[in-house]
Amino acid sequence: MRGRLARGECLHGAFVSTGYAVNTELMGMAGFDYLLIDLEHGMGSERDILGQLHALGRSATAPLVRVESLEKQRVHRLLDLGVQGIMFPRVETAEEARGCVAAMRYAPEGVRGVATVVRAAGYGPGYEAYREESRRELLTIIQIETAAAVENVEEIAAVEGVDVLYIGPMDLSTSLGVFRDYGHPRYQAALDRTLAAAARYERVAGILMASGAEARRYREMGFRFLTAGTDVMLLRLAAQQLAQQMRDA
């Protein structure tokens, strides 16, 4: 994914909130570039991750995880399982961003613990290759979702190893005092400032969209890491639509 983003491509993905392997497999079969398995607000746990990774094994969809905290131990466990990137919520300072990057990397660049007999390294034989590849390929996604984060976004973007600055619209609009008013000048100014910081430091800007139909508009604004929907929402909407079709008939 880092290579595709470096070439200027736009990547599209969705969230998986249930923690169920079958739902993850179905979402992977849909053709998304990536799926964000949500441990912050989702119903799954770390125990469910391995099954979800197995479920994505038949697809080209990259497995990413949004963690619930910045604790490096949680990040290490997920990376050892073979997760290809981590989304860190509620990052507000450059110091916190440096901690996120450090959790993604082995020493001397970071603080990731070394274990060779892990799934990501082929349970041992592939560790040397994995160690080198992890430096180049693991994706570090920093969420910009508070007024404080926007105030410090230039310093956050300057941190070496940050790949994506990712807007969380509902949290950000709440923090700015304009909940879900995405046309408000304060919210729009926050987007502009984040996009400018991403461009200045050659980071990728990402955002959660209300629907896939918004992809063109956000791409034209400068966002290239676009997410829409969750397995929960898609199931609910499709079920409601089917029930209504039956009643209408």
Side-chain angles (χ1 to χ4, degrees), residues 83-96:
V83 168
Q84 295 178 25
I86 300 290
M87 175 180 280
F88 295 91
R90 302 183 304 279
V91 177
E92 295 188 325
T93 67
E95 181 179 4
E96 290 178 348

Side-chain angles (χ1 to χ4, degrees), residues 130-160:
Y130 172 74
R131 183 184 179 94
E132 181 60 30
E133 290 169 3
S134 67
R135 183 182 297 108
R136 299 192 309 266
E137 297 182 5
L138 294 180
L139 200 66
T140 303
I141 307 161
I142 302 297
Q143 283 204 261
I144 305 298
E145 51 185 351
T146 66
V150 174
E151 185 65 24
N152 297 320
V153 71
E154 289 83 8
E155 291 82 2
I156 293 172
V159 173
E160 184 62 33

Side-chain angles (χ1 to χ4, degrees), residues 5-6 9 163-166 198 202-206 222-225:
L5 290 171
E9 293 187 39
D163 296 306
V164 180
L165 299 177
Y166 189 94
E202 298 184 341
R203 312 305 183 201
V204 174
F223 292 96
R224 291 195 292 113
F225 193 84

